[in-house]
Amino acid sequence: SRGSVLSSSQWTRGTSSDYYYQHLTSRQKKLYNAMLTLSQDPFSENIVVYSSTRDASDDGTTGTDWFLAYQSLIYDAELYWLWMDGGDSAFVYDPVQVGGKYKWVMWMDYSSTGQNVISKTEKPLRLFNSESGYQKVKAEFNNAVNSFLSGIDRNHSDAVIAMEIHDKLCKAITYDTSANESSAYFYDPAHTAYGALIGGKAVCDGYSLAYSYLLKKCGISSAVVLGYIGNPQTGGHAWNLVKLGGSWYEADSTWDDNDEKESFNHDFLFVTTRQITSQLPGVA
């Protein structure tokens, strides 16, 4: 229902397969779950009741709690559009006094202006600005995912499935050099799984988010890794962790893509941390 007030018993929750969720504190997990619940439909106008206290100052949530919960959600959940919303400011978190108590509540708001709310010009991904637009984009993305996976034989082992997805992704995507320039606009779909699978162009985080999304659709545990490359460090980068046979391996589809038709490598596919560290350009 639209505009519902949801208690924690009605929330959508992170699971044991969500890599970053498992590393949060209990307070951060609660924030994560509240955001995840609201993100299921960004135009539902739902409100979640995070907590009830005698005094608003008793809540105790810190900026670090908020930041880690939000970033974990972005790189765990199947929310291909959410990180582009201008940061955690898409979620409003305020106390509301009811009788002698304060209820801390959270909601998504795209219409107001203020410190914790994005402006009217900064919609979630600049791909939609209405519920009908969101549903259209959602259908486009789901169709692209299903089309991509229709050519993957899921009767193989996880390692073979993950390799086939990696190879097909490298063939389907071209690295978007313009989106990686210092003057490039931050709100570019190339940073997302949507841009990778719909537009066929991406930078490292777009590659990594798309790969993780596709792996999870096939029941393979994966996580996006954010870090820096080079010695000394020369720039930010994103790649993946993939769990195969009970062990985690590193995979970098961006570095494996030669950006030539039907041309890709397996140099950074299912390697150990030691191997990927020694192989990455500029890393001693």
Side-chain angles (χ1 to χ4, degrees):
S1 61
R2 294 178 56 80
S4 299
V5 178
L6 305 176
S7 64
S8 59
S9 63
Q10 299 170 286
W11 292 2
T12 302
R13 286 175 166 76
T15 68
S16 59
S17 63
D18 295 316
Y19 182 86
Y20 289 107
Y21 177 76
Q22 293 303 311
H23 292 81
L24 296 176
T25 66
S26 57
R27 179 184 296 277
Q28 292 161 3
K29 285 181 178 179
K30 193 171 183 182
L31 287 169
Y32 176 114
N33 291 332
M35 294 178 187
L36 177 60
T37 300
L38 294 170
S39 302
Q40 301 308 297
D41 181 351
F43 290 93
S44 67
E45 300 179 3
N46 285 338
I47 296 173
V48 300
V49 179
Y50 177 77
S51 65
S52 299
T53 65
R54 289 290 179 186
D55 188 320
S57 64
D58 288 346
D59 176 66
T61 299
T62 67
T64 298
D65 291 332
W66 187 267
F67 175 81
L68 290 176
Y70 181 79
Q71 292 298 317
S72 297
L73 176 67
I74 298 311
Y75 293 103
D76 268 347
E78 298 179 351
L79 301 170
Y80 54 88
W81 52 269
L82 182 57
W83 84 275
M84 297 295 286
D85 63 18
D88 52 18
S89 57
F91 296 96
V92 182
Y93 182 55
D94 279 324
V96 176
Q97 189 170 12
V98 180
K101 279 191 174 185
Y102 283 93
K103 287 184 181 292
W104 279 87
V105 298
M106 189 189 301
W107 69 92
M108 299 189 80
D109 192 330
Y110 309 114
S111 60
S112 302
T113 57
Q115 183 177 0
N116 295 320
V117 188
I118 56 178
S119 70
K120 290 183 178 180
T121 60
E122 294 184 351
K123 299 297 180 182
L125 185 59
R126 293 181 180 263
L127 290 175
F128 54 83
N129 56 16
S130 65
E131 184 165 10
S132 61
Y134 165 70
Q135 295 298 339
K136 178 176 180 293
V137 166
K138 182 178 178 180
E140 289 175 345
F141 183 75
N142 288 340
N143 288 339
V145 169
N146 292 335
S147 176
F148 185 103
L149 293 177
S150 65
I152 303 297
D153 187 349
R154 303 193 205 185
N155 293 316
H156 289 307
S157 66
D158 285 352
V160 172
I161 293 171
M163 181 183 69
E164 290 183 352
I165 293 174
H166 165 278
D167 295 353
K168 189 172 182 178
L169 201 61
C170 289
K171 293 178 184 179
I173 301 176
T174 300
Y175 189 86
D176 192 345
T177 305
S178 63
N180 198 36
E181 295 175 355
S182 58
S183 59
Y185 186 51
F186 180 76
Y187 295 94
D188 194 307
H191 294 281
T192 70
Y194 181 94
L197 296 176
I198 298 293
K201 291 185 177 182
V203 291
C204 58
D205 43 359
Y207 274 85
S208 302
L209 286 163
Y211 190 38
S212 186
Y213 192 104
L214 293 164
L215 288 172
K216 289 179 180 179
K217 282 294 185 182
C218 293
I220 300 172
S221 297
S222 174
V224 177
V225 182
L226 304 176
Y228 293 90
I229 59 171
N231 187 18
Q233 294 175 347
T234 57
H237 190 49
W239 61 101
N240 293 94
L241 290 176
V242 183
K243 193 172 186 179
L244 300 171
S247 298
W248 287 96
Y249 296 91
E250 313 231 15
D252 194 327
S253 53
T254 307
W255 282 111
D256 275 342
D257 187 3
N258 291 329
D259 267 353
E260 297 177 7
K261 189 174 182 180
E262 302 297 318
S263 177
F264 54 86
N265 303 314
H266 286 161
D267 294 344
F268 303 101
L269 182 64
F270 312 150
V271 296
T272 65
T273 300
R274 181 186 295 272
Q275 288 172 320
I276 200 171
T277 300
S278 64
Q279 285 178 287
L280 280 172
V283 178

